[in-house]
PDB file of all heavy atoms in Angstrom:
ATOM      1  N   THR G  25     118.247-103.824-108.646  1.00  0.00           N
ATOM      2  CA  THR G  25     116.947-103.430-107.992  1.00  0.00           C
ATOM      3  C   THR G  25     116.233-102.229-108.655  1.00  0.00           C
ATOM      4  O   THR G  25     115.156-101.769-108.222  1.00  0.00           O
ATOM      5  CB  THR G  25     117.101-103.088-106.524  1.00  0.00           C
ATOM      6  OG1 THR G  25     118.100-102.037-106.340  1.00  0.00           O
ATOM      7  CG2 THR G  25     117.695-104.313-105.740  1.00  0.00           C
ATOM      8  N   GLY G  26     116.880-101.612-109.721  1.00  0.00           N
ATOM      9  CA  GLY G  26     116.312-100.473-110.375  1.00  0.00           C
ATOM     10  C   GLY G  26     115.317-100.920-111.562  1.00  0.00           C
ATOM     11  O   GLY G  26     115.126-102.120-111.724  1.00  0.00           O
ATOM     12  N   SER G  27     114.880-100.022-112.318  1.00  0.00           N
ATOM     13  CA  SER G  27     113.919-100.366-113.347  1.00  0.00           C
ATOM     14  C   SER G  27     114.494-101.282-114.377  1.00  0.00           C
ATOM     15  O   SER G  27     113.890-102.321-114.711  1.00  0.00           O
ATOM     16  CB  SER G  27     113.445 -99.014-114.097  1.00  0.00           C
ATOM     17  OG  SER G  27     112.622 -99.316-115.124  1.00  0.00           O
ATOM     18  N   ILE G  28     115.660-100.993-114.912  1.00  0.00           N
ATOM     19  CA  ILE G  28     116.240-101.825-115.943  1.00  0.00           C
ATOM     20  C   ILE G  28     116.685-103.180-115.336  1.00  0.00           C
ATOM     21  O   ILE G  28     116.521-104.266-115.938  1.00  0.00           O
ATOM     22  CB  ILE G  28     117.423-101.179-116.624  1.00  0.00           C
ATOM     23  CG1 ILE G  28     116.992 -99.882-117.474  1.00  0.00           C
ATOM     24  CG2 ILE G  28     118.144-102.170-117.563  1.00  0.00           C
ATOM     25  CD1 ILE G  28     116.070-100.155-118.553  1.00  0.00           C
ATOM     26  N   GLY G  29     117.218-103.148-114.085  1.00  0.00           N
ATOM     27  CA  GLY G  29     117.672-104.350-113.449  1.00  0.00           C
ATOM     28  C   GLY G  29     116.626-105.263-113.219  1.00  0.00           C
ATOM     29  O   GLY G  29     116.730-106.528-113.476  1.00  0.00           O
ATOM     30  N   THR G  30     115.384-104.878-112.652  1.00  0.00           N
ATOM     31  CA  THR G  30     114.316-105.714-112.402  1.00  0.00           C
ATOM     32  C   THR G  30     113.760-106.318-113.651  1.00  0.00           C
ATOM     33  O   THR G  30     113.377-107.424-113.712  1.00  0.00           O
ATOM     34  CB  THR G  30     113.262-105.032-111.603  1.00  0.00           C
ATOM     35  OG1 THR G  30     112.883-103.814-112.216  1.00  0.00           O
ATOM     36  CG2 THR G  30     113.737-104.674-110.147  1.00  0.00           C
ATOM     37  N   GLN G  31     113.775-105.529-114.649  1.00  0.00           N
ATOM     38  CA  GLN G  31     113.182-106.056-116.014  1.00  0.00           C
ATOM     39  C   GLN G  31     114.155-107.048-116.584  1.00  0.00           C
ATOM     40  O   GLN G  31     113.730-107.999-117.306  1.00  0.00           O
ATOM     41  CB  GLN G  31     112.894-104.861-116.994  1.00  0.00           C
ATOM     42  CG  GLN G  31     111.725-104.062-116.506  1.00  0.00           C
ATOM     43  CD  GLN G  31     111.416-102.863-117.512  1.00  0.00           C
ATOM     44  OE1 GLN G  31     110.775-103.041-118.462  1.00  0.00           O
ATOM     45  NE2 GLN G  31     111.976-101.716-117.204  1.00  0.00           N
ATOM     46  N   THR G  32     115.474-106.815-116.393  1.00  0.00           N
ATOM     47  CA  THR G  32     116.492-107.806-116.826  1.00  0.00           C
ATOM     48  C   THR G  32     116.163-109.182-116.201  1.00  0.00           C
ATOM     49  O   THR G  32     116.179-110.233-116.782  1.00  0.00           O
ATOM     50  CB  THR G  32     117.862-107.304-116.510  1.00  0.00           C
ATOM     51  OG1 THR G  32     118.074-106.130-117.178  1.00  0.00           O
ATOM     52  CG2 THR G  32     118.855-108.310-116.968  1.00  0.00           C
ATOM     53  N   LEU G  33     115.878-109.119-114.858  1.00  0.00           N
ATOM     54  CA  LEU G  33     115.608-110.362-114.136  1.00  0.00           C
ATOM     55  C   LEU G  33     114.345-110.984-114.594  1.00  0.00           C
ATOM     56  O   LEU G  33     114.246-112.215-114.596  1.00  0.00           O
ATOM     57  CB  LEU G  33     115.597-110.038-112.657  1.00  0.00           C
ATOM     58  CG  LEU G  33     116.978-109.597-112.028  1.00  0.00           C
ATOM     59  CD1 LEU G  33     116.865-109.380-110.564  1.00  0.00           C
ATOM     60  CD2 LEU G  33     118.097-110.513-112.393  1.00  0.00           C
ATOM     61  N   ASP G  34     113.360-110.188-115.027  1.00  0.00           N
ATOM     62  CA  ASP G  34     112.124-110.724-115.619  1.00  0.00           C
ATOM     63  C   ASP G  34     112.455-111.631-116.806  1.00  0.00           C
ATOM     64  O   ASP G  34     111.906-112.718-117.011  1.00  0.00           O
ATOM     65  CB  ASP G  34     111.174-109.673-116.036  1.00  0.00           C
ATOM     66  CG  ASP G  34     110.450-109.012-114.839  1.00  0.00           C
ATOM     67  OD1 ASP G  34     110.357-109.658-113.756  1.00  0.00           O
ATOM     68  OD2 ASP G  34     109.950-107.871-115.027  1.00  0.00           O
ATOM     69  N   ILE G  35     113.393-111.170-117.646  1.00  0.00           N
ATOM     70  CA  ILE G  35     113.778-111.930-118.813  1.00  0.00           C
ATOM     71  C   ILE G  35     114.489-113.177-118.429  1.00  0.00           C
ATOM     72  O   ILE G  35     114.279-114.265-119.048  1.00  0.00           O
ATOM     73  CB  ILE G  35     114.614-111.030-119.741  1.00  0.00           C
ATOM     74  CG1 ILE G  35     113.822-109.891-120.315  1.00  0.00           C
ATOM     75  CG2 ILE G  35     115.314-111.907-120.902  1.00  0.00           C
ATOM     76  CD1 ILE G  35     114.567-108.750-120.881  1.00  0.00           C
ATOM     77  N   VAL G  36     115.285-113.142-117.379  1.00  0.00           N
ATOM     78  CA  VAL G  36     115.994-114.361-116.896  1.00  0.00           C
ATOM     79  C   VAL G  36     114.997-115.294-116.443  1.00  0.00           C
ATOM     80  O   VAL G  36     115.076-116.562-116.723  1.00  0.00           O
ATOM     81  CB  VAL G  36     117.025-114.005-115.759  1.00  0.00           C
ATOM     82  CG1 VAL G  36     117.678-115.288-115.202  1.00  0.00           C
ATOM     83  CG2 VAL G  36     118.083-113.026-116.307  1.00  0.00           C
ATOM     84  N   ARG G  37     113.925-114.892-115.802  1.00  0.00           N
ATOM     85  CA  ARG G  37     112.873-115.812-115.398  1.00  0.00           C
ATOM     86  C   ARG G  37     112.191-116.444-116.517  1.00  0.00           C
ATOM     87  O   ARG G  37     111.785-117.665-116.478  1.00  0.00           O
ATOM     88  CB  ARG G  37     111.722-114.995-114.634  1.00  0.00           C
ATOM     89  CG  ARG G  37     112.156-114.468-113.285  1.00  0.00           C
ATOM     90  CD  ARG G  37     111.051-113.905-112.477  1.00  0.00           C
ATOM     91  NE  ARG G  37     111.447-113.350-111.259  1.00  0.00           N
ATOM     92  CZ  ARG G  37     111.769-112.010-111.100  1.00  0.00           C
ATOM     93  NH1 ARG G  37     111.648-111.173-112.048  1.00  0.00           N
ATOM     94  NH2 ARG G  37     112.198-111.564-109.867  1.00  0.00           N
ATOM     95  N   ASN G  38     112.058-115.796-117.705  1.00  0.00           N
ATOM     96  CA  ASN G  38     111.416-116.400-118.880  1.00  0.00           C
ATOM     97  C   ASN G  38     112.370-117.432-119.517  1.00  0.00           C
ATOM     98  O   ASN G  38     111.843-118.365-120.241  1.00  0.00           O
ATOM     99  CB  ASN G  38     111.178-115.312-119.896  1.00  0.00           C
ATOM    100  CG  ASN G  38     110.042-114.346-119.481  1.00  0.00           C
ATOM    101  OD1 ASN G  38     109.194-114.721-118.580  1.00  0.00           O
ATOM    102  ND2 ASN G  38     110.055-113.150-119.990  1.00  0.00           N
ATOM    103  N   TYR G  39     113.688-117.325-119.313  1.00  0.00           N
ATOM    104  CA  TYR G  39     114.653-118.223-120.014  1.00  0.00           C
ATOM    105  C   TYR G  39     115.667-118.770-118.972  1.00  0.00           C
ATOM    106  O   TYR G  39     116.887-118.489-119.110  1.00  0.00           O
ATOM    107  CB  TYR G  39     115.393-117.487-121.130  1.00  0.00           C
ATOM    108  CG  TYR G  39     114.505-117.252-122.339  1.00  0.00           C
ATOM    109  CD1 TYR G  39     113.818-115.997-122.457  1.00  0.00           C
ATOM    110  CD2 TYR G  39     114.187-118.266-123.191  1.00  0.00           C
ATOM    111  CE1 TYR G  39     112.946-115.785-123.583  1.00  0.00           C
ATOM    112  CE2 TYR G  39     113.355-118.135-124.237  1.00  0.00           C
ATOM    113  CZ  TYR G  39     112.738-116.854-124.432  1.00  0.00           C
ATOM    114  OH  TYR G  39     111.862-116.661-125.466  1.00  0.00           O
ATOM    115  N   PRO G  40     115.190-119.467-117.945  1.00  0.00           N
ATOM    116  CA  PRO G  40     116.142-120.062-116.954  1.00  0.00           C
ATOM    117  C   PRO G  40     117.154-121.043-117.517  1.00  0.00           C
ATOM    118  O   PRO G  40     118.136-121.347-116.970  1.00  0.00           O
ATOM    119  CB  PRO G  40     115.223-120.700-115.996  1.00  0.00           C
ATOM    120  CG  PRO G  40     113.942-121.016-116.692  1.00  0.00           C
ATOM    121  CD  PRO G  40     113.874-119.884-117.717  1.00  0.00           C
ATOM    122  N   ASP G  41     116.778-121.648-118.722  1.00  0.00           N
ATOM    123  CA  ASP G  41     117.600-122.572-119.348  1.00  0.00           C
ATOM    124  C   ASP G  41     118.677-121.920-120.301  1.00  0.00           C
ATOM    125  O   ASP G  41     119.552-122.678-120.766  1.00  0.00           O
ATOM    126  CB  ASP G  41     116.855-123.599-120.152  1.00  0.00           C
ATOM    127  CG  ASP G  41     115.979-122.960-121.264  1.00  0.00           C
ATOM    128  OD1 ASP G  41     115.527-121.768-121.016  1.00  0.00           O
ATOM    129  OD2 ASP G  41     115.765-123.551-122.294  1.00  0.00           O
ATOM    130  N   ARG G  42     118.606-120.592-120.468  1.00  0.00           N
ATOM    131  CA  ARG G  42     119.453-119.871-121.353  1.00  0.00           C
ATOM    132  C   ARG G  42     120.368-118.845-120.636  1.00  0.00           C
ATOM    133  O   ARG G  42     121.382-118.424-121.116  1.00  0.00           O
ATOM    134  CB  ARG G  42     118.607-119.197-122.453  1.00  0.00           C
ATOM    135  CG  ARG G  42     117.857-120.138-123.340  1.00  0.00           C
ATOM    136  CD  ARG G  42     118.750-120.779-124.389  1.00  0.00           C
ATOM    137  NE  ARG G  42     119.520-120.013-125.156  1.00  0.00           N
ATOM    138  CZ  ARG G  42     119.123-119.579-126.473  1.00  0.00           C
ATOM    139  NH1 ARG G  42     117.921-120.031-126.905  1.00  0.00           N
ATOM    140  NH2 ARG G  42     119.948-118.782-127.180  1.00  0.00           N
ATOM    141  N   LEU G  43     119.863-118.357-119.505  1.00  0.00           N
ATOM    142  CA  LEU G  43     120.452-117.308-118.794  1.00  0.00           C
ATOM    143  C   LEU G  43     120.719-117.703-117.306  1.00  0.00           C
ATOM    144  O   LEU G  43     119.724-118.212-116.672  1.00  0.00           O
ATOM    145  CB  LEU G  43     119.709-116.046-118.871  1.00  0.00           C
ATOM    146  CG  LEU G  43     119.466-115.368-120.172  1.00  0.00           C
ATOM    147  CD1 LEU G  43     118.492-114.301-120.121  1.00  0.00           C
ATOM    148  CD2 LEU G  43     120.739-114.872-120.827  1.00  0.00           C
ATOM    149  N   GLU G  44     121.897-117.396-116.813  1.00  0.00           N
ATOM    150  CA  GLU G  44     122.194-117.649-115.357  1.00  0.00           C
ATOM    151  C   GLU G  44     122.782-116.400-114.713  1.00  0.00           C
ATOM    152  O   GLU G  44     123.667-115.763-115.299  1.00  0.00           O
ATOM    153  CB  GLU G  44     123.199-118.750-115.234  1.00  0.00           C
ATOM    154  CG  GLU G  44     123.487-119.059-113.785  1.00  0.00           C
ATOM    155  CD  GLU G  44     124.593-120.165-113.593  1.00  0.00           C
ATOM    156  OE1 GLU G  44     124.952-120.813-114.623  1.00  0.00           O
ATOM    157  OE2 GLU G  44     125.043-120.440-112.499  1.00  0.00           O
ATOM    158  N   ILE G  45     122.229-115.964-113.616  1.00  0.00           N
ATOM    159  CA  ILE G  45     122.713-114.868-112.849  1.00  0.00           C
ATOM    160  C   ILE G  45     123.892-115.329-111.915  1.00  0.00           C
ATOM    161  O   ILE G  45     123.624-116.177-111.092  1.00  0.00           O
ATOM    162  CB  ILE G  45     121.659-114.223-111.981  1.00  0.00           C
ATOM    163  CG1 ILE G  45     120.469-113.638-112.877  1.00  0.00           C
ATOM    164  CG2 ILE G  45     122.278-113.134-111.049  1.00  0.00           C
ATOM    165  CD1 ILE G  45     120.953-112.459-113.707  1.00  0.00           C
ATOM    166  N   VAL G  46     125.019-114.656-112.126  1.00  0.00           N
ATOM    167  CA  VAL G  46     126.232-115.107-111.246  1.00  0.00           C
ATOM    168  C   VAL G  46     126.538-113.954-110.288  1.00  0.00           C
ATOM    169  O   VAL G  46     127.294-114.154-109.342  1.00  0.00           O
ATOM    170  CB  VAL G  46     127.460-115.437-112.174  1.00  0.00           C
ATOM    171  CG1 VAL G  46     127.082-116.729-112.945  1.00  0.00           C
ATOM    172  CG2 VAL G  46     127.934-114.248-112.956  1.00  0.00           C
ATOM    173  N   ALA G  47     126.052-112.706-110.618  1.00  0.00           N
ATOM    174  CA  ALA G  47     126.363-111.598-109.736  1.00  0.00           C
ATOM    175  C   ALA G  47     125.292-110.518-109.716  1.00  0.00           C
ATOM    176  O   ALA G  47     124.757-110.260-110.838  1.00  0.00           O
ATOM    177  CB  ALA G  47     127.799-111.042-110.008  1.00  0.00           C
ATOM    178  N   LEU G  48     125.019-109.940-108.679  1.00  0.00           N
ATOM    179  CA  LEU G  48     124.107-108.801-108.512  1.00  0.00           C
ATOM    180  C   LEU G  48     124.680-107.724-107.732  1.00  0.00           C
ATOM    181  O   LEU G  48     125.387-107.874-106.758  1.00  0.00           O
ATOM    182  CB  LEU G  48     122.743-109.275-107.869  1.00  0.00           C
ATOM    183  CG  LEU G  48     121.935-110.350-108.608  1.00  0.00           C
ATOM    184  CD1 LEU G  48     120.836-110.837-107.773  1.00  0.00           C
ATOM    185  CD2 LEU G  48     121.407-109.817-109.960  1.00  0.00           C
ATOM    186  N   ALA G  49     124.317-106.392-108.007  1.00  0.00           N
ATOM    187  CA  ALA G  49     124.720-105.287-107.249  1.00  0.00           C
ATOM    188  C   ALA G  49     123.594-104.261-107.199  1.00  0.00           C
ATOM    189  O   ALA G  49     122.836-104.061-108.153  1.00  0.00           O
ATOM    190  CB  ALA G  49     126.011-104.667-107.782  1.00  0.00           C
ATOM    191  N   ALA G  50     123.453-103.637-106.051  1.00  0.00           N
ATOM    192  CA  ALA G  50     122.423-102.618-105.890  1.00  0.00           C
ATOM    193  C   ALA G  50     122.991-101.473-105.039  1.00  0.00           C
ATOM    194  O   ALA G  50     124.036-101.568-104.353  1.00  0.00           O
ATOM    195  CB  ALA G  50     121.225-103.276-105.227  1.00  0.00           C
ATOM    196  N   GLY G  51     122.215-100.462-104.965  1.00  0.00           N
ATOM    197  CA  GLY G  51     122.657 -99.259-104.272  1.00  0.00           C
ATOM    198  C   GLY G  51     122.291 -99.371-102.717  1.00  0.00           C
ATOM    199  O   GLY G  51     123.167 -99.441-101.865  1.00  0.00           O
ATOM    200  N   SER G  52     120.991 -99.388-102.427  1.00  0.00           N
ATOM    201  CA  SER G  52     120.552 -99.330-101.012  1.00  0.00           C
ATOM    202  C   SER G  52     119.405-100.200-100.711  1.00  0.00           C
ATOM    203  O   SER G  52     118.997-100.375 -99.557  1.00  0.00           O
ATOM    204  CB  SER G  52     120.233 -97.895-100.605  1.00  0.00           C
ATOM    205  OG  SER G  52     119.193 -97.380-101.434  1.00  0.00           O
ATOM    206  N   SER G  53     118.817-100.865-101.737  1.00  0.00           N
ATOM    207  CA  SER G  53     117.622-101.669-101.501  1.00  0.00           C
ATOM    208  C   SER G  53     117.986-103.123-100.998  1.00  0.00           C
ATOM    209  O   SER G  53     117.877-104.050-101.838  1.00  0.00           O
ATOM    210  CB  SER G  53     116.813-101.740-102.824  1.00  0.00           C
ATOM    211  OG  SER G  53     116.422-100.420-103.252  1.00  0.00           O
ATOM    212  N   VAL G  54     118.315-103.177 -99.770  1.00  0.00           N
ATOM    213  CA  VAL G  54     118.766-104.381 -99.175  1.00  0.00           C
ATOM    214  C   VAL G  54     117.685-105.516 -99.300  1.00  0.00           C
ATOM    215  O   VAL G  54     117.991-106.635 -99.637  1.00  0.00           O
ATOM    216  CB  VAL G  54     119.239-104.207 -97.752  1.00  0.00           C
ATOM    217  CG1 VAL G  54     119.556-105.570 -97.063  1.00  0.00           C
ATOM    218  CG2 VAL G  54     120.380-103.251 -97.598  1.00  0.00           C
ATOM    219  N   GLU G  55     116.496-105.179 -98.851  1.00  0.00           N
ATOM    220  CA  GLU G  55     115.385-106.151 -98.813  1.00  0.00           C
ATOM    221  C   GLU G  55     115.154-106.766-100.235  1.00  0.00           C
ATOM    222  O   GLU G  55     115.018-108.012-100.335  1.00  0.00           O
ATOM    223  CB  GLU G  55     114.150-105.567 -98.247  1.00  0.00           C
ATOM    224  CG  GLU G  55     113.021-106.515 -97.935  1.00  0.00           C
ATOM    225  CD  GLU G  55     111.838-105.951 -97.330  1.00  0.00           C
ATOM    226  OE1 GLU G  55     111.920-104.852 -96.784  1.00  0.00           O
ATOM    227  OE2 GLU G  55     110.701-106.576 -97.368  1.00  0.00           O
ATOM    228  N   LEU G  56     115.062-105.939-101.212  1.00  0.00           N
ATOM    229  CA  LEU G  56     114.839-106.434-102.566  1.00  0.00           C
ATOM    230  C   LEU G  56     115.959-107.252-103.055  1.00  0.00           C
ATOM    231  O   LEU G  56     115.773-108.284-103.678  1.00  0.00           O
ATOM    232  CB  LEU G  56     114.510-105.263-103.468  1.00  0.00           C
ATOM    233  CG  LEU G  56     114.195-105.702-104.992  1.00  0.00           C
ATOM    234  CD1 LEU G  56     113.094-106.733-105.040  1.00  0.00           C
ATOM    235  CD2 LEU G  56     113.825-104.438-105.802  1.00  0.00           C
ATOM    236  N   LEU G  57     117.192-106.771-102.755  1.00  0.00           N
ATOM    237  CA  LEU G  57     118.377-107.583-103.253  1.00  0.00           C
ATOM    238  C   LEU G  57     118.381-108.942-102.573  1.00  0.00           C
ATOM    239  O   LEU G  57     118.694-109.942-103.104  1.00  0.00           O
ATOM    240  CB  LEU G  57     119.615-106.783-102.996  1.00  0.00           C
ATOM    241  CG  LEU G  57     120.996-107.494-103.568  1.00  0.00           C
ATOM    242  CD1 LEU G  57     120.767-107.763-105.055  1.00  0.00           C
ATOM    243  CD2 LEU G  57     122.188-106.642-103.314  1.00  0.00           C
ATOM    244  N   GLU G  58     117.985-108.992-101.306  1.00  0.00           N
ATOM    245  CA  GLU G  58     117.962-110.297-100.524  1.00  0.00           C
ATOM    246  C   GLU G  58     117.010-111.201-101.319  1.00  0.00           C
ATOM    247  O   GLU G  58     117.271-112.387-101.537  1.00  0.00           O
ATOM    248  CB  GLU G  58     117.504-110.099 -99.135  1.00  0.00           C
ATOM    249  CG  GLU G  58     117.392-111.459 -98.473  1.00  0.00           C
ATOM    250  CD  GLU G  58     116.627-111.369 -97.104  1.00  0.00           C
ATOM    251  OE1 GLU G  58     116.246-110.318 -96.721  1.00  0.00           O
ATOM    252  OE2 GLU G  58     116.357-112.467 -96.527  1.00  0.00           O
ATOM    253  N   GLN G  59     115.804-110.644-101.729  1.00  0.00           N
ATOM    254  CA  GLN G  59     114.821-111.511-102.484  1.00  0.00           C
ATOM    255  C   GLN G  59     115.353-112.040-103.748  1.00  0.00           C
ATOM    256  O   GLN G  59     115.189-113.153-104.152  1.00  0.00           O
ATOM    257  CB  GLN G  59     113.559-110.663-102.717  1.00  0.00           C
ATOM    258  CG  GLN G  59     112.799-110.289-101.491  1.00  0.00           C
ATOM    259  CD  GLN G  59     111.655-109.333-101.767  1.00  0.00           C
ATOM    260  OE1 GLN G  59     111.270-109.099-102.906  1.00  0.00           O
ATOM    261  NE2 GLN G  59     111.131-108.648-100.718  1.00  0.00           N
ATOM    262  N   GLN G  60     116.115-111.120-104.479  1.00  0.00           N
ATOM    263  CA  GLN G  60     116.756-111.570-105.715  1.00  0.00           C
ATOM    264  C   GLN G  60     117.776-112.602-105.584  1.00  0.00           C
ATOM    265  O   GLN G  60     117.876-113.560-106.329  1.00  0.00           O
ATOM    266  CB  GLN G  60     117.285-110.345-106.382  1.00  0.00           C
ATOM    267  CG  GLN G  60     116.188-109.282-106.930  1.00  0.00           C
ATOM    268  CD  GLN G  60     116.878-108.031-107.421  1.00  0.00           C
ATOM    269  OE1 GLN G  60     118.049-107.782-107.282  1.00  0.00           O
ATOM    270  NE2 GLN G  60     116.049-107.234-108.085  1.00  0.00           N
TER     271      GLN G  60
END
């Protein structure tokens, strides 16, 4: 949910056929992590 993390997910969005998210972790941003 941080700056680097959200930009990493932007890249995954660009390449859904090449990258798959299997795990996510965040500090305290529950709402944003739910969305992710």
Side-chain angles (χ1 to χ4, degrees):
T25 59
S27 176
I28 296 296
T30 54
Q31 291 180 84
T32 299
L33 296 181
D34 285 340
I35 293 164
V36 176
R37 290 185 184 98
N38 293 335
Y39 287 99
D41 57 332
R42 299 286 300 267
L43 299 171
E44 179 184 353
I45 297 293
V46 298
L48 297 171
S52 58
S53 301
V54 175
E55 186 174 342
L56 180 52
L57 186 55
E58 180 196 356
Q59 293 172 15
Q60 293 173 347

